[in-house]
Amino acid sequence: MSDHLSSIPIINGSVRTRFAPSPTGFMHVGGVRTALFSWLIARRMQGTFILRIEDTDKVREVSGSIQQIQKSLNWLGIEWNEGVGIGGEHGPYLQSERLPIYLKWAQKLVDEGRAYADPYSQEELEAFRNEAKANKRAFLYRDHRPENPPAWDGTQPLRFKSDPKAYTWTDAVMGNLSTGPEAIDDYILIKGDGFPTYNFCHIIDDALMGITHVLRSQEFISSTPKFLNLYEALHIERPVFATLPFVMAIDGKKKLGKRDGAKDILDYGNEGYLPEAMMNFLATLGWNDGTEQEIFSQTELIEKFSLERVQKSPARFDEQRLLWLNGQWIRRLNLDDLFDRVTDFWPESASTVTIERKKEILALVQDRLKTLTDLPLLSSYFFENPVPNWAMADDNKQLKKYSHSELTDMLRHTVGALQTSDFDAETIQATLNQLLETTGQKPGVLFSMIRLAVSWAPFSPALNDTLATLGKQTTIDRLQRAIEAAAA
Ligand code: GLU
């Protein structure tokens, strides 16, 4: 027996988890959540987190995915201690580079009479399936186990000779589970193309890499008894299994699809989401700490995360909640940090002003940003004169009850009052309050009109701050331009 076969590393006392994606496209929220939970467990227990790439299905492989996976984890701040890109003691970490290892283990099973060459053609297998269907029985390959299989020469699929029996096991999330012997079958270990199946090689790798906790999505739970049977045949001790519930669309009825937010995690970054918000959001997709707390920093997650509090029922993907969390996280950034992150999000017109002016404006709009892509809408009127658009007043809930001439009257009063006002935010507020009295208007009406006339934008920061930042001359010019445009 080779060294690999006799010396499975037992790395006692230290938690080792892994994320083992297949490079079949971009990383979506479900996949990244598995990575995050595995990483959190390792970090919480001061263990090791490993990135392994499961690239044995060459048909489904999409080129560039391995880089995408690494980029996605990097963006979120999930660092791995061993694995693809950085190496480690238990490599290689790319399954396609481990084929000789799998072949040795396969041969061991053959030698011990626990694996055999599959002699059947596709047509013959199809006939067995149809026969089972006609008899209303579940198809089991082992019902057709050949009596004298040919010697395995590597060109036929190699099948596991299973030992059908009932199993009871405990899943760290799903609790006690059990299945009968019907769940056990002779499955393929090595395909006809020489590549191992996931069902076989992940077990070898998890063992050789000393993985103590296997966290994976619910889609694998029905295969667990088959895996348990193979662990026994290989004399490998099974790790702790923790099955993560599905991530469903917001209606809770269907699995998350592209339209519900199952897109490339990196797109969220391009759309102005912060990795802190995304991590917070993913961590609370199916987990909470037992309190009402909603905002968790990375440090808090590492301190508090536990498998016991991962829920069994499917999680719902609520994009509105992600948006809310993002706004919360944007508020929490200090100005210089936020300034660095919005570099690519300024409107073009911002290039004409100084860094100091940009920061002043950013400070003003920070609390209103839900994503960084909101920045142009919230800030461009500080950099260029907006074109008056009275249709916006006609559509406004508060303003549409008034005629343009009533509204321009309000603006005339405003010009008069502001012309003699000092222009710091506090004095402006006092002037505006006084205007409410002299015009007898409600703030919802008067302030909405002023806000619109200086910005012609759907949102703006506090009115007095907005006017102070625009400055007296610009404010008055814009009010006047609004009055003229109404007459035109
Ligand atoms: N390669 C599998 C996938 O991408 C990993 C499953 C597992 O974590 O064991 O779905």
Side-chain angles (χ1 to χ4, degrees):
M1 211 187 288
S2 85
D3 278 344
H4 266 307
L5 306 191
S6 56
S7 62
I8 294 171
I10 300 174
I11 301 151
N12 263 331
S14 155
V15 164
R16 291 172 62 86
T17 64
R18 50 49 166 197
F19 179 48
S22 304
T24 51
F26 60 78
M27 291 263 284
H28 58 80
V29 283
V32 187
R33 185 191 60 161
T34 305
L36 175 63
F37 283 19
S38 306
W39 176 77
L40 284 172
I41 287 294
R43 288 294 307 270
R44 175 156 170 69
M45 308 305 284
Q46 283 145 29
T48 304
F49 175 63
I50 294 158
L51 175 62
R52 178 173 81 220
I53 300 289
E54 304 206 321
D55 61 338
T56 59
D57 189 345
K58 290 295 164 191
V59 181
R60 287 176 61 227
E61 192 163 329
V62 174
S63 85
S65 318
I66 299 179
Q67 290 74 7
Q68 283 288 101
I69 290 166
Q70 298 186 64
K71 230 170 131 183
S72 303
L73 297 178
N74 285 333
W75 178 68
L76 269 172
I78 297 179
E79 289 172 0
W80 52 105
N81 313 98
E82 278 177 35
V84 169
I86 57 171
E89 267 176 62
H90 309 281
Y93 295 91
L94 204 57
Q95 283 186 330
S96 58
E97 293 174 3
R98 299 172 63 80
L99 300 185
I101 300 174
Y102 309 129
L103 289 180
K104 273 182 208 157
W105 282 85
Q107 192 57 52
K108 176 179 184 270
L109 287 173
V110 172
D111 295 346
E112 292 174 3
R114 294 305 307 271
Y116 59 91
D118 176 347
Y120 299 118
S121 65
Q122 285 305 326
E123 293 71 34
E124 284 168 310
L125 275 179
E126 206 41 46
F128 295 148
R129 269 201 195 93
N130 290 337
E131 184 191 317
K133 209 165 158 195
N135 295 327
K136 296 196 168 50
R137 274 190 296 107
F139 168 73
L140 283 172
Y141 187 97
R142 61 178 158 82
D143 290 342
H144 307 277
R145 206 179 265 170
E147 261 169 49
N148 291 306
W152 181 49
D153 64 9
T155 62
Q156 322 96 318
L158 183 73
R159 280 194 187 259
F160 174 43
K161 187 172 177 191
S162 63
D163 176 18
K165 55 165 100 159
Y167 278 103
T168 300
W169 75 101
T170 305
D171 182 286
V173 173
M174 297 296 173
N176 293 335
L177 301 169
S178 54
T179 49
E182 68 286 348
I184 307 294
D185 200 8
D186 290 5
Y187 64 83
I188 296 181
L189 305 174
I190 308 272
K191 293 172 283 178
D193 64 4
F195 280 95
T197 56
Y198 162 76
N199 293 339
F200 176 47
C201 62
H202 87 272
I203 291 177
I204 307 293
D205 287 346
D206 284 344
L208 293 176
M209 294 178 187
I211 302 302
T212 56
H213 295 67
V214 167
L215 278 71
R216 66 184 149 210
S217 120
Q218 199 170 346
E219 66 188 280
F220 295 98
I221 201 161
S222 59
S223 302
T224 307
K226 294 198 294 189
F227 302 154
L228 294 177
N229 211 239
L230 185 59
Y231 277 105
E232 281 172 13
L234 291 165
H235 311 290
I236 289 176
E237 205 184 313
R238 66 169 100 138
V240 173
F241 296 119
T243 299
L244 307 183
F246 284 127
V247 179
M248 309 292 271
I250 181 78
D251 65 4
K253 293 197 184 101
K254 54 179 181 353
K255 269 182 81 181
L256 194 67
K258 266 201 186 150
R259 244 181 276 153
D260 319 296
K263 57 189 174 197
D264 187 339
I265 197 88
L266 291 172
D267 283 348
Y268 283 100
N270 300 332
E271 290 168 16
Y273 286 86
L274 303 185
E276 289 91 336
M278 183 52 91
M279 179 176 282
N280 190 157
F281 176 70
L282 291 173
T284 47
L285 259 185
W287 173 85
N288 64 64
D289 73 340
T291 73
E292 297 289 297
Q293 184 172 343
E294 299 220 50
I295 313 274
F296 293 94
S297 67
Q298 190 190 101
T299 316
E300 282 176 300
L301 288 173
I302 292 169
E303 260 165 36
K304 297 183 174 185
F305 188 81
S306 71
L307 287 174
E308 292 77 50
R309 292 211 57 87
V310 175
Q311 70 189 37
K312 287 187 191 149
S313 52
R316 289 178 191 209
F317 184 90
D318 181 354
E319 245 184 334
Q320 287 306 314
R321 182 163 182 274
L322 171 60
L323 194 62
W324 174 79
L325 279 172
N326 203 50
Q328 297 295 317
W329 275 101
I330 290 175
R331 279 171 196 212
R332 281 170 163 72
L333 297 181
N334 72 45
L335 187 60
D336 286 328
D337 189 356
L338 178 60
F339 185 73
D340 288 343
R341 300 200 205 201
V342 295
T343 311
D344 296 334
F345 293 94
W346 287 107
E348 246 175 65
S349 50
S351 58
T352 54
V353 308
T354 62
I355 291 180
E356 283 64 39
R357 177 73 174 154
K358 276 192 192 165
K359 283 192 179 169
E360 186 188 359
I361 290 162
L362 188 60
L364 200 58
V365 302
Q366 177 166 12
D367 281 6
R368 312 230 164 186
L369 292 171
K370 288 223 168 78
T371 73
L372 304 183
T373 47
D374 291 339
L375 188 57
L377 193 62
L378 281 166
S379 72
S380 42
Y381 53 87
F382 287 107
F383 307 115
E384 58 191 323
N385 284 323
V387 179
N389 173 9
W390 277 91
M392 289 181 81
D394 303 337
D395 286 343
N396 183 295
K397 242 193 1 236
Q398 317 259 17
L399 304 179
K400 65 176 168 203
K401 299 176 210 136
Y402 296 82
S403 68
H404 286 190
S405 89
E406 286 171 303
L407 295 170
T408 48
D409 262 356
M410 293 177 209
L411 293 180
R412 274 193 203 94
H413 273 103
T414 312
V415 172
L418 289 176
Q419 234 146 15
T420 55
S421 171
D422 278 347
F423 233 68
D424 59 279
E426 218 175 300
T427 317
I428 293 175
Q429 190 58 54
T431 308
L432 291 173
N433 290 344
Q434 201 149 22
L435 251 176
L436 288 177
E437 285 177 29
T438 49
T439 59
Q441 286 300 343
K442 287 180 276 189
V445 175
L446 181 67
F447 294 175
S448 299
M449 189 58 240
I450 302 173
R451 195 183 273 280
L452 211 53
V454 297
S455 70
W456 298 107
F459 319 100
S460 48
L463 184 57
N464 62 330
D465 290 331
T466 304
L467 301 189
T469 306
L470 283 170
K472 189 166 187 167
Q473 199 51 51
T474 306
T475 301
I476 289 180
D477 285 352
R478 287 194 187 174
L479 293 173
Q480 244 138 17
R481 206 166 301 149
I483 297 168
E484 282 158 26

